[in-house]
Amino acid sequence: MTTVDLGLPSIGGTAGVPTTDEKQTAKSFTSDQEVRWCPGCGDYAVLAAVRSFLPELRLKRENTVFVSGIGCSSRFPYYLNTYGVHSIHGRAPAIATGLATSRSDLSVWVVTGDGDALSIGGNHLIHTLRRNVNLKILLFNNRIYGLTKGQYSPTSEQGKVTKSTPVGSLDHPFNPVSLALGAEATFVARAMDSDRKQLTEVLRAAAEHRGSALVEIYQNCPIFNDGAFDVLKEPGERERRIVPLRDGEPIRFGPEGEFGVVQDGFELRVRRVSEVGEDAVVVHDASRTDPGYAFALSRLGGQDLEHTPTGIFRSVSRPTYDDLAREQVRQAQESRPADLAALLRGNDTWQVPG
Amino acid sequence: MTVTGHGGDGPAGNGAAALPDGVQGGLPPRSKEAHKLDRVVIRFAGDSGDGMQLTGDRFTSEAAAFGNDLATLPNFPAEIRAPAGTLPGVSSFQLHFADYDILTPGDRPDVLVAMNPAALKANIRDLPQGGILILNTDEFTKRNLTKVGYSSNPLEDGSLGGFQVHEVAMATLTRGALEETGLSKKDAERAKNMFALGLLSWMYNRSTEGTERFLREKFRRRPEIAEANVLAFRTGWNYGETTEAFGVTYEVAPAKLPPGTYRQITGNLALAYGIVAAGQRSGLDVFLGTYPITPASDVLHELSKHKNFGVTTFQAEDEIAGIGAALGASYGGALGVTTTSGPGIALKSETIGLAVMTELPLLICDIQRGGPSTGLPTKTEQADLLQAMYGRNGEAPVPVLAPSSPADCFDVALDAARIALTYRTPVLLLSDGYIANGSEPWLLPDLAELPDLRVPFASEANAPDGSGEFWPYLRDPETLARPWAVPGTPGLEHRIGGLEKSDGRGDISYDPDNHDRMVRIRQAKIDGITVPDLEVDDPSGVADVLVLGWGSTFGPIGAACRRVRAAGTPIAQAHLRHLNPMPSNLGDVLGRYRRVVVPEMNLGQLATLLRARYLVDVVSHTKVAGLPFKAEELQMVFDQVLQEVHA
Ligand SMILES: Cc1ncc(C[n+]2csc(CCOP(=O)(O)OP(=O)(O)O)c2C)c(N)n1
Ligand code: SF4
Ligand SMILES: [Mg+2]
């Protein structure tokens, strides 16, 4: 088996997408469609954050495409004045892969839910991540099936009582960040619907990343799973549980910054800094090549959100599938003319005289 | 003297002269001279490890280069390497070549080459009495015979008495010839298929240079293997020339085909070339999203070699992702293509529905195989017709086309692409294992005459109310196609998806009347696709029975009709390329005949459609054996119907 190094330079996430000097605002990215989520749905906050963030990229609006699957969250594309495809359940990463591979001049975003991405579409998600297709994937995790009215999802905590699990769900949940890291995603982050600032920071970094960027967004569904993330929002609790990740900084948290993340064998653990000493606290480095470190971070908190890191877990550079695929085509076109007659003729022809 | 082989299809037109009905045995009595034949069917059979496909392919190339018309039928096990010497491990390759235009690989071989007892046992029942049987005696050991259930050695027990048997110790002779090369015994023996090819090449007066050139090229990196194979090939040739055993050679003159440049082509190769050509003629990049499956994988293999034509191939994680990516590429303005077999179509059906709803061009190729479920992966069948027609939720009409022969795959691919691009719709192309792997000579097309497939992308707002908006579901009044507005086009930003759209504007709509209208519009768009009228072949002009087929049954049906006509009875033949929509004159055509016979390799799927649509009680003749029809069996069916009608 031989491998060919196509020698691609590393470039930004939106390189190749035409830009504009026109003034863009959140309003210019707002379509004429009435938004139809339930009042209080966390999706509104994410929509607002995305609408006000997109102008920052200065990309031509017509070169931005949102592709979604099926679910409440997947209605997202209708509300943006860009190109959009509201596809079928779970398949958005596949459709977006074809689009992004055949068009280098587009900024392609995928919007998906915990059911859409991790149940029916789980296969497409992991393969998209391992290929590192240049897609920005926003995974709205409300830990429930919203659109189908409240069945448990692959991120629901075990024992959850829902319409389909009246005496409690039996299956162990996925941690989407761990899953993505297991698939060696090159960019993985987590943000909260309620924290516009951090969400915007993460979106910015995702857009700048060339390759698949998976952003898990904790999103409240007030109708079927209200308060799923309240412990991460309540003052007092919040500080004790959220572990903010900032590149180059020691990972510390707590009301007084009294907790720190330390290495313990192959694992990372939370300790009181006063007990282990400041030097023991791990300094966050999202660019570590081995996903093992980021994975260990993602395991800090369990399904009950005891400790929940937010921010960018991993951001490493690896050639993207779409860049490589286009480069193979380009090199072939450069080295061999597209001579259809010669192709059809082949090497073995014979003449039948008239 | 010219003699026609047993059981094949005679020449078109006045076939009577060339088709002495009831001639048994096929080949002339042996003599020292070279006999002229008009057609021969050879079957090479051996263990899957014996290289029978390669041997058959090579002989085919020589026959093609010589100018014979030909048709081939490879037949191999689903297992990559079933246990050596067993019945499930038998692989065969049948080749029919002639000095006139033929339609099928032949019902029965005139010559059977059996490399081991398993190959003999699996194939001998197809060899007519008097047929030539060439056996590799080295493999007829007690152990090998027991393995396949022979209690006595057929070489000795007289059971082969009705055939012209040639016992040749191919392995021993090959090994002996290669002694000097320093190759191991095992490696040397592996060249015995080339010995067989050499012997057959001698028997049928085929040139040797082509094969020698081919072998040197194929084993370019291992010259010692190349030379060993060439040597084995020559040894086989010389064996025929010098031994007493073979007293006679045969000649099959070149066929009088329409003038032009020809090459040999399989259905899958023709399909791949058709897809490349569709990209070139439409000026679009081609994006193939697919997942490997027999017998469709070769299309992926082939297309992956042609990146220089702007062809991107994406081997996805499954069939769903394959078609999803292809649809995504179509949305972006490429010619999206996906290739699969029946089980893959089942997985793709939801995305086909999405393509129906979003009205984007997409070419979906189903190389049918035996079903249901995993079924018979390497065998042929036509049982996906109703799946192609109706296998989706909701009213989701999709155009369906089927090629009738290997070379026809090229034209049908272009025709399917034309429909997909012009009408903005997914299109299903139904090939099958028989034409996918079978081959025939192909008159190279004149590139200038290939259809122009260019279609414009939308570039401007189109709202009829002058609002300057873009309405993605406003239709071309003639084709009912909606505009293809690709991302990157300023001012045309819009959202599409699987939800029902309002007519024109394309916003989500749950309005009952709108849904009813949209369902009917989508149907009307497909119903309104222009397809050529069905042509009927009836040289007599007075036939009152019509045989109507579709897809790969064209050859056997045509051959059977020739036989019926040669016996003096008129019969008409017509063949559907377009299964949805069907040609607009089809109802008229059906009405013109007292009886319509529909042979299919399924349980009567086209017959069901015809009965439902045209209220014609067609005679459905069906077989689902994993193998194409034989001309002989169809002839019997047709004769019977004719008798009933004329009684
Ligand atoms: C093939 C298919 N199966 C099932 C459904 C029904 N369905 C629609 S959305 C959904 C779950 C959505 O959950 P999630 O992805 O978490 O999205 P949310 O609504 O919570 O945003 C299901 C099961 C469907 N639309 N298509
Ligand atoms: S059901 Fe839940 S997720 Fe869906 S729109 Fe309503 S609040 Fe949002
Ligand atoms: Mg959900």
Side-chain angles (χ1 to χ4, degrees):
Chain A
M1 199 86 345
T2 53
T3 55
V4 181
D5 181 1
L6 294 168
L8 292 177
S10 82
I11 45 176
T14 57
V17 184
T19 53
T20 179
D21 290 333
E22 233 171 74
K23 187 173 154 44
Q24 293 178 333
T25 60
K27 196 150 172 279
S28 35
F29 279 93
T30 303
S31 74
D32 61 355
Q33 300 294 300
E34 186 194 336
V35 183
R36 297 212 193 153
W37 290 306
C38 308
C41 176
D43 292 354
Y44 283 99
V46 185
L47 178 62
V50 169
R51 278 176 177 166
S52 49
F53 159 71
L54 284 175
E56 231 185 69
L57 296 176
R58 317 206 59 82
L59 302 177
K60 287 193 169 170
R61 205 156 36 83
E62 63 268 24
N63 288 78
T64 302
V65 186
F66 278 77
V67 183
S68 65
I70 297 289
C72 295
S73 37
S74 288
R75 294 293 181 99
F76 205 87
Y78 289 117
Y79 309 134
L80 290 172
N81 193 12
T82 63
Y83 280 84
V85 183
H86 176 216
S87 74
I88 45 178
H89 203 17
R91 318 303 174 194
I95 292 166
T97 293
L99 180 61
T101 303
S102 57
R103 292 284 301 271
S104 61
D105 60 334
L106 302 178
S107 169
V108 184
W109 298 69
V110 169
V111 175
T112 180
D114 43 321
D116 194 61
L118 302 172
S119 280
I120 193 164
N123 199 30
H124 307 310
L125 182 74
I126 55 176
H127 287 279
T128 301
L129 296 177
R130 86 175 159 84
R131 288 188 189 106
N132 199 28
V133 185
N134 192 21
L135 301 173
K136 314 303 147 201
I137 304 170
L138 310 183
L139 195 169
F140 291 51
N141 184 6
N142 53 11
R143 307 187 78 179
I144 199 81
Y145 285 0
L147 192 70
T148 45
K149 305 199 170 160
Q151 301 83 4
Y152 79 114
S153 90
T155 57
S156 297
E157 53 283 17
Q158 192 169 11
K160 192 174 189 72
V161 173
T162 71
K163 267 190 199 145
S164 59
T165 52
V167 287
S169 65
L170 302 174
D171 14 346
H172 183 73
F174 269 143
N175 173 331
V177 168
S178 302
L179 184 82
L181 289 165
E184 292 187 52
T186 53
F187 182 102
V188 184
R190 180 185 285 144
M192 308 261 298
D193 55 2
S194 52
D195 185 346
R196 164 82 72 102
K197 184 164 164 285
Q198 188 186 39
L199 178 56
T200 306
E201 274 169 24
V202 163
L203 291 174
R204 190 176 293 131
E208 186 46 38
H209 177 72
R210 193 154 193 94
S212 294
L214 181 103
V215 180
E216 182 192 16
I217 303 169
Y218 282 163
Q219 170 242 326
N220 191 37
C221 167
I223 306 297
F224 297 111
N225 199 18
D226 195 21
F229 305 105
D230 276 1
V231 288
L232 302 178
K233 297 178 183 174
E234 284 160 19
E237 274 304 301
R238 174 174 71 194
E239 293 76 8
R240 217 177 55 70
R241 291 180 184 246
I242 290 191
V243 183
L245 302 175
R246 290 185 206 90
D247 224 27
E249 291 183 19
I251 310 177
R252 292 184 67 157
F253 64 104
E256 321 280 313
E258 65 268 45
F259 300 113
V261 170
V262 300
Q263 190 169 354
D264 179 6
F266 289 114
E267 285 159 50
L268 297 178
R269 292 189 195 285
V270 172
R271 289 279 181 272
R272 279 188 182 278
V273 179
S274 56
E275 286 166 15
V276 292
E278 284 192 13
D279 288 351
V281 176
V282 171
V283 174
H284 184 49
D285 178 5
S287 68
R288 290 196 195 204
T289 338
D290 185 345
Y293 156 72
F295 187 85
L297 267 181
S298 77
R299 307 312 298 169
L300 274 180
Q303 60 167 4
D304 49 4
L305 310 177
E306 181 57 20
H307 298 297
T308 306
T310 61
I312 299 163
F313 287 73
R314 183 170 203 239
S315 176
V316 300
S317 175
R318 168 150 58 86
T320 72
Y321 178 85
D322 46 312
D323 282 330
L324 293 171
R326 284 187 296 262
E327 183 59 14
Q328 279 191 341
V329 169
R330 196 194 63 76
Q331 289 188 5
Q333 287 177 321
E334 205 161 79
S335 58
R336 281 181 293 148
D339 183 343
L340 185 59
L343 175 72
L344 302 187
R345 209 181 311 118
N347 298 323
D348 269 317
T349 57
W350 69 94
Q351 296 292 328
V352 172
Chain B
M1 136 170 135
T2 296
V3 175
T4 291
H6 177 93
D9 42 290
N14 120 22
L19 214 164
D21 248 51
V23 167
Q24 294 285 301
L27 293 167
R30 293 166 54 187
S31 78
K32 291 287 170 192
E33 77 230 43
H35 290 283
K36 287 199 174 11
L37 298 176
D38 66 345
R39 49 173 290 271
V40 173
V41 179
I42 299 176
R43 186 184 296 176
F44 295 95
D47 199 62
S48 354
D50 284 343
M52 291 297 98
Q53 302 300 325
L54 176 75
T55 310
D57 256 350
R58 236 359 270 170
F59 198 96
T60 305
S61 295
E62 284 310 315
F66 185 68
N68 295 127
D69 193 13
L70 57 90
T72 67
L73 176 65
N75 190 1
F76 35 82
E79 292 77 16
I80 302 304
R81 283 286 160 87
T86 61
L87 288 172
V90 174
S91 163
S92 71
F93 187 102
Q94 183 162 311
L95 156 71
H96 185 183
F97 60 108
D99 69 359
Y100 62 94
D101 69 311
I102 49 169
L103 299 171
T104 75
D107 285 3
R108 293 157 186 282
D110 301 305
V111 183
L112 172 63
V113 180
M115 301 300 283
N116 66 7
L120 177 68
K121 184 148 199 191
N123 291 283
I124 190 67
R125 65 171 170 271
D126 294 338
L127 188 69
Q129 287 295 305
I132 298 178
L133 180 58
I134 301 174
L135 297 169
N136 170 26
T137 51
D138 286 322
E139 288 291 316
F140 282 70
T141 61
K142 194 150 187 341
R143 201 165 151 264
N144 289 352
L145 289 164
T146 321
K147 213 188 270 184
V148 295
Y150 275 123
S151 51
S152 62
N153 189 342
L155 300 181
E156 292 156 6
D157 64 11
S159 59
L160 304 177
F163 308 107
Q164 305 178 44
V165 183
H166 296 283
E167 298 181 15
V168 187
M170 293 190 205
T172 310
L173 289 164
T174 306
R175 232 188 302 122
L178 302 191
E179 216 157 22
E180 309 280 272
T181 61
L183 237 52
S184 74
K185 259 187 173 179
K186 209 165 140 250
D187 277 347
E189 260 189 40
R190 286 178 59 172
K192 65 180 180 295
N193 62 332
M194 286 303 114
F195 179 97
L197 181 64
L199 177 56
L200 272 288
S201 299
W202 169 80
M203 273 177 79
Y204 291 96
N205 278 295
R206 301 287 130 168
S207 98
T208 55
E209 295 93 63
T211 297
E212 296 187 2
R213 206 178 330 116
F214 166 85
L215 288 170
R216 295 205 166 97
E217 175 60 25
K218 179 172 168 64
F219 298 108
R220 194 171 61 243
R221 299 224 170 87
R222 302 194 54 195
E224 73 286 2
I225 301 286
E227 287 319 308
N229 275 286
V230 168
L231 196 53
F233 175 70
R234 286 189 185 162
T235 307
W237 205 93
N238 291 336
Y239 182 83
E241 178 78 8
T242 54
T243 57
E244 294 286 303
F246 292 87
V248 45
T249 65
Y250 305 98
E251 273 169 21
V252 179
K256 289 162 239 29
L257 299 174
T261 308
Y262 283 78
R263 66 168 287 169
Q264 182 208 341
I265 199 152
T266 64
N268 271 349
L269 188 57
L271 178 59
Y273 285 178
I275 291 166
V276 172
Q280 297 291 295
R281 299 298 294 174
S282 60
L284 300 176
D285 285 340
V286 172
F287 185 98
L288 174 74
T290 189
Y291 188 75
I293 185 169
T294 303
S297 304
D298 281 340
V299 184
L300 162 63
H301 303 161
E302 186 60 34
L303 285 174
S304 65
K305 295 184 219 160
H306 304 303
K307 297 183 169 54
N308 55 320
F309 289 91
V311 177
T312 300
T313 54
F314 171 59
Q315 181 178 318
E317 56 272 22
D318 60 22
E319 279 81 355
I320 302 174
I323 187 173
L327 185 63
S330 281
Y331 173 67
L335 173 59
V337 182
T338 191
T339 49
T340 189
S341 189
I345 293 292
L347 288 170
K348 291 174 196 290
S349 49
E350 191 191 10
T351 312
I352 300 176
L354 178 65
V356 168
M357 205 62 162
T358 51
E359 302 192 40
L360 288 167
L362 185 64
L363 177 56
I364 304 148
C365 303
D366 175 2
I367 321 298
Q368 300 164 96
R369 63 189 218 181
S373 187
T374 310
L376 298 171
T378 59
K379 308 291 181 217
T380 197
E381 204 161 288
Q382 297 183 292
D384 294 352
L385 176 57
L386 293 184
Q387 178 178 229
M389 291 288 294
Y390 299 119
R392 291 165 292 283
N393 60 306
E395 296 287 354
V398 166
V400 180
L401 289 81
S404 58
S405 75
D408 194 40
C409 290
F410 180 81
D411 295 331
V412 174
L414 282 162
D415 204 5
R418 165 188 72 88
I419 292 174
L421 293 167
T422 312
Y423 296 89
R424 260 74 96 184
T425 175
V427 175
L428 257 150
L429 184 155
L430 291 178
S431 175
D432 66 30
Y434 171 42
I435 43 184
N437 291 320
S439 63
E440 66 176 348
W442 179 37
L443 175 60
L444 291 180
D446 179 352
L447 291 195
E449 283 176 12
L450 295 182
D452 180 355
L453 300 179
R454 283 172 299 176
V455 293
F457 292 138
S459 58
E460 279 169 15
N462 61 355
D465 60 5
S467 59
E469 288 175 2
F470 175 63
W471 289 17
Y473 280 76
L474 197 69
R475 291 166 194 282
D476 178 301
E478 207 157 292
T479 58
L480 296 184
R482 73 174 194 89
W484 192 4
V486 303
T489 318
L492 307 193
E493 295 84 355
H494 65 283
R495 275 66 53 191
I496 56 172
L499 284 172
E500 184 61 284
K501 302 294 179 305
S502 65
D503 186 11
R505 249 175 205 287
D507 292 334
I508 301 174
S509 167
Y510 300 109
D511 178 69
D513 292 340
N514 177 74
H515 178 55
D516 186 78
R517 190 159 61 247
M518 290 298 275
V519 166
R520 290 171 200 282
I521 291 174
R522 284 188 288 266
Q523 185 67 49
K525 180 175 87 167
I526 304 307
D527 291 346
I529 290 170
T530 4
V531 306
D533 272 354
L534 182 67
E535 283 176 29
V536 179
D537 174 42
D538 174 16
S540 72
V542 298
D544 53 7
V545 169
L546 169 74
V547 186
L548 181 66
W550 69 277
S552 76
T553 53
F554 174 75
I557 293 176
C561 286
R562 283 182 183 181
R563 285 160 163 248
V564 171
R565 290 170 192 159
T569 318
I571 191 164
Q573 184 193 0
H575 210 74
L576 286 172
R577 168 189 283 188
H578 292 272
L579 293 142
N580 196 32
M582 291 183 178
S584 55
N585 68 334
L586 178 57
D588 285 349
V589 170
L590 294 174
R592 289 211 295 269
Y593 294 88
R594 289 177 64 189
R595 202 66 55 90
V596 178
V597 189
V598 181
E600 292 178 87
M601 296 189 286
N602 57 45
L603 294 185
Q605 301 193 3
L606 176 62
T608 301
L609 293 175
L610 295 174
R611 287 173 185 154
R613 288 203 187 168
Y614 301 101
L615 300 178
V616 172
D617 188 17
V618 300
V619 178
S620 171
H621 175 71
T622 64
K623 185 176 89 166
V624 272
L627 289 168
F629 284 114
K630 292 190 158 88
E632 190 181 3
E633 69 177 287
L634 289 181
Q635 179 194 7
M636 273 157 41
V637 172
F638 301 165
D639 281 344
Q640 168 133 25
V641 173
L642 284 160
Q643 265 170 28
E644 283 164 19
V645 169
H646 297 153

